[in-house]
C-alpha cells in the first residue's frame, strides 16, 4: 500500500493504482473521456489533469501516471496531489476548449443528448466562450454496419471504440488513420464490423459519434421508463436495463454485474427489441375448417378441454421452449402430474443432460468469473463466440493475461478471437486427450486450475450421454474436480445456449416413468400415438412432423409453433412479466415487467392456471406469490436470487463412471446463425439485416461469392 495526500485528504491505496484511481478513492471527481476501467490506458484526451506537488511544473494526466511514480517530500512527507487547484482548473478549461474547436453544435438533434459526457463535462469544467473563429472541420460518416451509426464530425479521438474492438471483442476492424486535423476513426477499407459485441461501442463513446442505428431519432432518455431486468437471448443471463415509452420497449442497455457480464452485452441482446413488437400474438385463436380464427379465452379453453376429455395421459405430450421461465414450467409440470402426463421435456434440442445425474452434471460449475482463474481450458463441441458472446469475451480477457492454453475439439475451426490448439473433431480426439497425449495433454497435467467447457454440440448427439461421461472422466483424471490443492475448484462446465434449460432441469421438466423425450414426442405424434401436444414456446422443433396431433401453442410470436397450432394461447415476452431464469452457471435471476403484453395476451403461468380449471385439475395457486411459495418449498435454491449454489463434486465423479459407447463423427456446434436463434430474434428486422450481412461477410472471407 502507498500513502498520499489528495486535496489534503490522506489515503492508503495499492501502489499499482493510477493517480486517477487514487483520487477517486479519496472522493475526488476526475473528469475523463478516454480512460475506461476495462480498457488499456491511452492518455489521449488530457481531461484528467491534476497537479502533483514536487513533480513537474505542469499538470499531469492522472490516468497515465501511477502512484508508484510519485516521490515523497524531502522529510518523508507523503506525495501530494491536487485536483482543484487554479493550475488544474485552467488546464481543464483549456483542454475542453480544444475539444470543442471542431465539435459541431448538434446537441438538439444528437441521439446522445441528455446522456453525453461531453455535454456534462463542458458544463462542469468548461468556459462560457470560445476564442477560436476558424471554420469547423467536417469528417465523412462511415458505414460500419446496420447496428452502429456514425457521425464522425463529433468524434474527439478518445479511441475507446478502437481499444474495445481490439482488446475485448477481439476484432481489429476499427482504427485511427491520418494525423493532426486529418485524423479519423474508421473501419479498415470501410467495411462493416463483424463482431457480435460491436454494439458496446455505443455505450463507450463519450460523445455522439457512435450511436444506435435502430434507435436513431426514436426517443429522448428523459422520456423513457427504466426497468432493471435479465437477458434471455442466451444462457449467460446478462444483466440489462429495459427502457420503455408507454407500452413499447425502445431500447435495451447493459447493467454492471461483475460475476456475469461485467458491463457488456451481445448485439442480439441489445438490438432485438424491435422483435418484441413484430408478429405478436395478441388474442387466442382456434383452428376451424383448417383456418385459425380469433376466439375468446373461454372458447379456446373449451376447445382444449373437449379434445382432452376422456383422454389418457399417455396420449399427451408437452414440450417447453428455450425462452420459458421457471414459474411457467413449474406450473405446466404440476398440471402434467395431475393429469398423469409423463411425456414432458424441456430439452427441445434433444440434449442428454439429465437432472438424475445431479446438478453438477449440467451447470457451469466454476462460474463465469471462474474463467479468469483457469490456466488451461478445453472446449468441446461449442462455439462460445456464437453461443455465449459475453462469456467468450471473458475467455479472451483471461487469454490476454498470458499463461493460458486453450484446446478445441469440434467439427470446425471457428475464429474464437483467441488462439487455441485444434485437437480434433470428435470422441476419438477426446480419448487421445484422456490418455495425456500431445502437448495439450501435458499442459492439462501441469495446470493448477484446468477447466473443460462442454457445449450442446456434444450433448445433443445420439451418443450425447456417453460423450458427457467421457468429458467428466477427463475432468476427474486431470484434477478439474476438487483437487487436493484446491478442494473448492470444479472445472467441469456445461455451456448452455438456451435461457430456459437450466431452470427446466432444476424443476424437473423431464420425462416421467415411461414418458417420452422431445424426439420421442414428435415421432409419436407423427405416428398417431399422441393425440395432443402442448408447446410452451417451443419453436425449434420440426412442427411439420407432428402429424395429425392436436397442437396447443402457448407463446408470444407467430413463429413455427403458432403456424402449426390448432389452439393459440398468447403469452407474455420476457420484458412483460416477472419470471425467474437460471443461467448456465446455475444462478437464479428474476426479470421485471417493463411493459404490458399486447391485446389479450397474458402471463404464461396465469394461462396455465386458468386452463387447469377447464381441464378439471385446478392448480392450487391464484397468484404468482403463491406459485413461488410452492416452488421455493420444493426447490429452495431457486429462492436464492443472484447467488450461485455450489454443486457437489460427487455429481461429476459419478457421471465419469457411467461410460458408454461413443460414435464417430465430429461435434457440430448448435448455433449456426447467431442472430436468428429464437422467435423474438426471427421477428426482428434489425436481426434479419445483421444476419444477412453476417452471411455476406462469411462468403467474402471464404471466397464463395455465389
Amino acid at each position: 500500500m502507498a500513502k498520499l495526500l489528495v486535496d489534503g485528504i490522506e489515503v492508503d491505496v495499492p501502489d499499482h493504482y493510477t493517480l486517477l484511481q487514487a483520487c477517486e478513492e479519496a472522493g475526488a471527481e476526475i473528469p475523463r473521456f478516454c480512460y475506461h476501467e476495462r480498457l488499456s490506458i491511452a492518455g489521449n484526451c488530457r481531461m484528467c489533469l491534476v497537479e502533483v506537488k514536487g513533480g513537474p511544473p505542469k499538470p499531469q494526466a492522472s490516468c497515465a501516471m501511477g502512484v508508484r511514480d510519485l516521490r515523497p517530500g524531502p522529510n518523508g512527507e507523503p506525495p501530494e496531489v491536487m485536483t482543484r487547484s487554479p493550475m488544474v482548473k485552467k488546464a481543464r478549461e483549456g483542454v475542453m476548449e480544444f475539444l470543442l474547436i471542431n465539435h459541431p453544435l448538434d446537441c438538439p438533434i444528437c441521439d446522445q443528448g441528455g446522456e453525453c459526457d461531453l455535454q456534462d463535462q463542458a458544463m462542469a469544467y468548461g468556459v462560457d466562450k470560445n476564442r477560436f473563429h476558424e471554420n469547423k472541420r467536417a469528417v465523412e460518416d462511415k458505414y460500419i454496419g446496420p447496428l452502429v451509426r456514425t457521425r464522425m464530425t463529433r468524434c474527439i479521438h478518445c479511441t475507446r471504440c478502437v481499444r474495445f474492438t481490439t482488446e475485448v471483442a477481439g476484432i481489429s476492424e476499427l482504427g485511427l488513420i491520418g494525423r493532426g486535423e486529418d485524423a479519423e476513426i474508421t473501419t479498415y477499407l470501410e467495411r462493416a464490423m463483424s463482431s457480435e459485441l460491436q454494439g458496446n461501442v455505443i455505450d463507450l463513446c463519450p460523445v455522439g459519434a457512435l450511436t444506435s442505428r435502430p434507435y436513431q431519432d426514436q426517443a429522448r432518455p428523459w422520456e423513457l421508463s427504466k426497468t432493471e431486468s435479465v437477458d434471455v437471448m442466451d444462457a449467460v443471463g446478462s444483466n440489462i436495463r429495459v427502457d420503455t415509452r408507454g407500452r413499447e420497449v425502445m431500447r435495451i442497455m447493459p447493467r454492471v454485474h461483475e460475476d456475469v457480464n461485467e458491463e457488456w452485452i451481445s448485439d442480439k441482446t441489445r438490438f432485438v427489441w424491435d422483435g418484441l413488437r413484430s408478429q405478436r400474438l395478441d388474442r387466442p385463436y382456434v383452428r376451424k375448417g383448417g383456418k385459425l380464427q380469433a376466439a375468446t379465452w373461454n372458447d379456446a379453453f373449451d376447445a382444449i378441454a373437449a379434445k382432452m376429455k376422456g383422454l389418457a395421459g399417455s396420449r399427451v405430450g408437452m414440450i417447453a421452449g428455450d425462452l420459458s421461465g421457471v414459474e411457467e414450467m413449474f406450473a405446466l409440470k404440476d398440471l402434467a402430474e395431475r393429469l398423469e402426463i409423463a411425456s414432458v421435456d424441456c430439452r427441445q434440442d434433444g440434449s442428454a443432460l439429465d437432472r438424475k445425474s445431479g446438478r453438477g452434471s449440467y451447470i457451469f460449475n466454476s462460474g463465469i468469473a471462474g474463467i479468469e482463474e483457469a490456466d488451461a481450458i478445453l472446449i468441446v463441441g461449442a462455439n462460445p463466440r456464437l453461443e455465449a458472446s459475453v462469456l467468450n469475451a471473458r475467455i479472451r480477457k483471461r487469454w490476454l493475461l498470458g499463461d493460458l492454453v486453450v484446446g478445441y475439439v469440434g467439427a470446425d475451426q471457428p475464429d474464437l478471437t483467441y488462439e487455441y490448439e485444434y485437437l480434433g473433431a470428435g470422441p476419438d480426439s477426446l480419448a487421445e486427450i484422456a490418455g495425456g497425449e500431445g502437448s495439450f495433454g501435458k499442459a492439462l497435467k501441469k495446470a493448477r486450475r484446468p477447466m473443460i467447457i462442454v457445449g450442446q454440440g456434444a450433448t445433443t448427439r445420439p451418443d450425447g450421454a456417453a460423450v458427457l461421461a467421457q468429458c467428466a472422466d477427463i475432468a476427474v483424471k486431470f484434477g478439474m474436480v476438487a483437487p487436493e490443492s484446491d478442494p473448492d475448484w470444479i472445472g467441469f462446465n456445461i455451456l448452455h445456449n438456451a435461457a430456459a434449460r437450466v431452470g427446466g432441469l432444476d424443476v424437473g421438466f423431464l420425462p416421467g416413468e415411461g414418458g417420452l423425450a422431445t424426439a420421442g414426442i414428435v415421432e409419436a405424434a407423427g405416428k398417431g400415438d399422441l393425440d395432443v401436444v402442448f408447446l410452451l414456446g417451443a419453436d425449434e422443433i420440426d412442427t411439420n412432423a407432428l402429424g395429425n396431433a392436436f397442437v396447443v401453442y402457448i407463446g408470444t410470436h407467430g413463429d413455427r409453433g403458432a403456424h402449426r397450432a390448432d389452439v393459440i394461447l398468447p403469452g407474455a415476452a420476457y420484458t412483460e412479466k416477472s419470471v425467474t431464469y437460471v443461467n448456465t452457471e446455475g444462478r437464479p435471476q428474476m426479470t421485471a415487467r417493463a411493459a404490458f403484453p399486447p391485446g389479450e395476451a397474458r402471463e404464461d403461468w396465469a394461462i396455465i392456471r386458468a386452463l387447469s380449471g377447464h381441464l378439471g385439475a385446478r392448480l392450487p395457486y391464484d397468484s404468482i406469490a403463491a406459485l413461488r411459495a410452492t416452488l421455493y418449498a420444493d426447490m429452495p435454491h431457486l429462492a436464492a436470487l443472484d447467488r450461485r449454489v455450489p454443486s457437489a463434486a460427487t455429481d461429476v465423479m459419478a457421471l465419469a463412471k457411467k461410460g458408454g459407447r461413443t460414435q464417430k463423427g465430429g461435434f457440430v456446434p448448435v448455433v449456426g446463425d447467431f442472430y436468428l436463434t429464437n422467435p423474438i430474434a426471427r421477428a426482428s428486422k434489425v436481426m434479419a439485416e445483421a444476419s444477412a450481412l453476417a452471411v455476406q461477410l462469411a462468403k467474402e472471407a471464404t471466397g464463395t461469392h455465389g
Side-chain angles (χ1 to χ4, degrees), residues 41 167 177 202 215 311 317 320 324 490 537 542 616 658 664-665 678:
I41 293 170
E167 297 165 12
I177 62 172
I202 297 167
Y215 177 69
L311 204 62
S324 302
I490 303 180
D542 183 4
K658 290 190 175 182
K664 293 191 178 296
N678 59 63

Side-chain angles (χ1 to χ4, degrees), residues 85-411:
S85 67
M87 177 197 287
V88 173
K89 182 176 185 296
K90 185 176 180 181
R92 289 177 180 169
E93 288 175 350
V95 169
M96 182 58 70
E97 199 170 354
F98 276 119
L99 287 173
L100 295 175
I101 290 174
N102 287 307
H103 198 78
L105 300 176
D106 280 353
C107 298
I109 61 167
C110 178
D111 272 350
Q112 198 83 351
E115 299 173 318
C116 179
D117 290 348
L118 189 62
Q119 272 185 337
D120 296 341
Q121 292 183 39
M123 286 291 294
Y125 303 102
V127 289
D128 60 352
K129 55 185 176 294
N130 181 18
R131 291 175 289 177
F132 294 92
H133 302 289
E134 292 79 10
N135 291 330
K136 293 179 181 290
R137 78 165 192 163
V139 181
E140 185 179 347
D141 294 332
K142 310 297 187 297
Y143 175 77
I144 60 175
L147 305 179
V148 181
R149 173 198 188 208
T150 62
R151 286 293 181 269
M152 302 314 294
T153 301
R154 303 170 186 162
C155 179
I156 61 170
H157 303 153
C158 70
T159 68
R160 279 187 180 183
C161 55
V162 176
R163 284 175 284 147
F164 172 81
T165 54
T166 304
E167 297 165 12
V168 179
I171 54 156
S172 298
E173 293 178 345
L174 274 182
L176 187 144
I177 62 172
R179 300 182 67 184
E181 70 169 11
D182 295 323
E184 54 184 281
I185 303 287
T186 180
T187 56
Y188 299 108
L189 305 178
E190 298 194 17
R191 295 180 61 206
M193 288 198 291
S194 61
S195 172
E196 296 77 22
L197 296 169
Q198 62 182 275
N200 290 288
V201 301
I202 297 167
D203 301 327
L204 289 171
C205 184
V207 295
L210 301 175
T211 55
S212 171
R213 188 178 288 274
Y215 177 69
Q216 176 181 339
D217 303 328
Q218 293 287 316
R220 287 298 196 182
W222 54 83
E223 300 175 334
L224 305 176
S225 299
K226 301 166 179 63
T227 307
E228 295 184 349
S229 191
V230 179
D231 172 54
V232 300
M233 292 297 110
D234 54 31
V236 173
S238 298
N239 283 221
I240 59 173
R241 192 189 79 197
V242 182
D243 289 1
T244 56
R245 184 174 61 190
R247 300 177 68 95
E248 288 192 346
V249 175
M250 303 303 295
R251 65 177 178 179
I252 294 174
M253 308 274 283
R255 285 191 296 130
V256 176
H257 193 305
E258 297 294 346
D259 291 335
V260 180
N261 60 305
E262 296 184 296
E263 61 184 82
W264 318 124
I265 55 175
S266 73
D267 293 339
K268 185 164 51 175
T269 300
R270 183 185 298 272
F271 295 108
V272 79
W273 50 267
D274 70 313
L276 292 165
R277 308 175 184 176
S278 306
Q279 300 180 27
R280 288 301 301 270
L281 301 173
D282 59 357
R283 67 187 66 182
Y285 287 88
V286 176
R287 191 176 296 275
K288 297 179 180 178
K291 292 185 178 181
L292 286 169
Q293 298 180 12
T296 65
W297 279 103
N298 280 332
D299 288 344
F301 289 149
D302 289 343
I304 298 169
K307 192 68 180 179
M308 291 283 289
K309 188 174 182 180
L311 204 62
S314 60
R315 305 287 298 181
V316 182
M318 295 178 172
I319 303 173
D322 293 347
L323 304 183
S324 302
V326 167
E327 286 84 352
E328 53 243 34
M329 284 190 285
F330 180 77
L332 190 58
K333 173 178 173 277
D334 194 355
L335 177 61
E337 290 174 350
R338 294 168 189 270
L339 297 175
E340 298 181 349
I341 300 170
S343 297
V344 301
D345 201 358
C346 65
R347 305 161 301 181
Q348 61 174 349
D349 57 1
S351 172
L353 299 171
D354 197 339
R355 187 188 186 195
K356 295 176 183 175
S357 299
R359 201 165 189 255
S361 70
Y362 62 80
I363 66 171
F364 205 95
N365 288 286
S366 69
I368 295 171
I371 290 171
E372 297 186 27
E373 301 175 29
D375 50 4
I377 299 177
L378 174 61
I379 301 173
V380 180
N383 183 342
R385 181 172 173 181
L386 300 184
E387 296 171 33
S389 304
V390 174
L391 183 144
N392 192 64
R394 184 86 71 152
I395 299 176
R396 175 175 168 79
K397 177 183 178 182
R398 173 64 187 88
W399 174 76
L400 285 173
L401 295 175
D403 194 29
L404 173 71
V405 292
V406 181
Y408 183 85
V409 179

Side-chain angles (χ1 to χ4, degrees), residues 147 195-196 198 267-268 673-677 681 687 690-691 694:
L147 305 179
S195 172
E196 296 77 22
Q198 62 182 275
D267 293 339
K268 185 164 51 175
D673 191 330
F674 167 77
Y675 296 100
L676 303 177
T677 56
M687 292 295 99
S691 173

Side-chain angles (χ1 to χ4, degrees), residues 553-618:
Y553 180 75
I554 305 172
T556 58
H557 286 72
D559 208 75
R560 299 162 186 162
H563 290 170
R564 172 59 186 82
D566 294 287
V567 174
I568 295 175
L569 306 177
Y574 70 105
T575 56
E576 299 159 359
K577 58 188 176 183
S578 173
V579 68
T580 306
Y581 288 94
V582 186
N583 77 346
T584 191
E585 59 178 356
R587 183 190 302 270
Q589 299 183 109
M590 192 175 291
T591 64
R593 177 190 285 158
F596 287 90
E600 299 178 37
R602 296 292 181 266
E603 293 185 30
D604 302 59
W605 78 268
I607 295 172
I608 296 165
R609 163 65 184 80
L611 175 62
S612 68
H614 286 258
L615 298 182
R618 185 187 176 100

Side-chain angles (χ1 to χ4, degrees), residues 13 179 246 501 571 583 650:
V13 297
R179 300 182 67 184
R501 191 74 77 248
N583 77 346
T650 52

Side-chain angles (χ1 to χ4, degrees), residues 428-452:
D428 293 344
S429 302
L430 290 178
E432 292 177 9
I433 295 168
E437 300 175 18
S439 59
F440 188 78
K442 293 174 183 176
L444 276 182
K445 287 180 180 178
K446 294 179 183 177
R448 289 187 64 255
R449 286 192 164 184
M451 172 188 295
I452 185 170

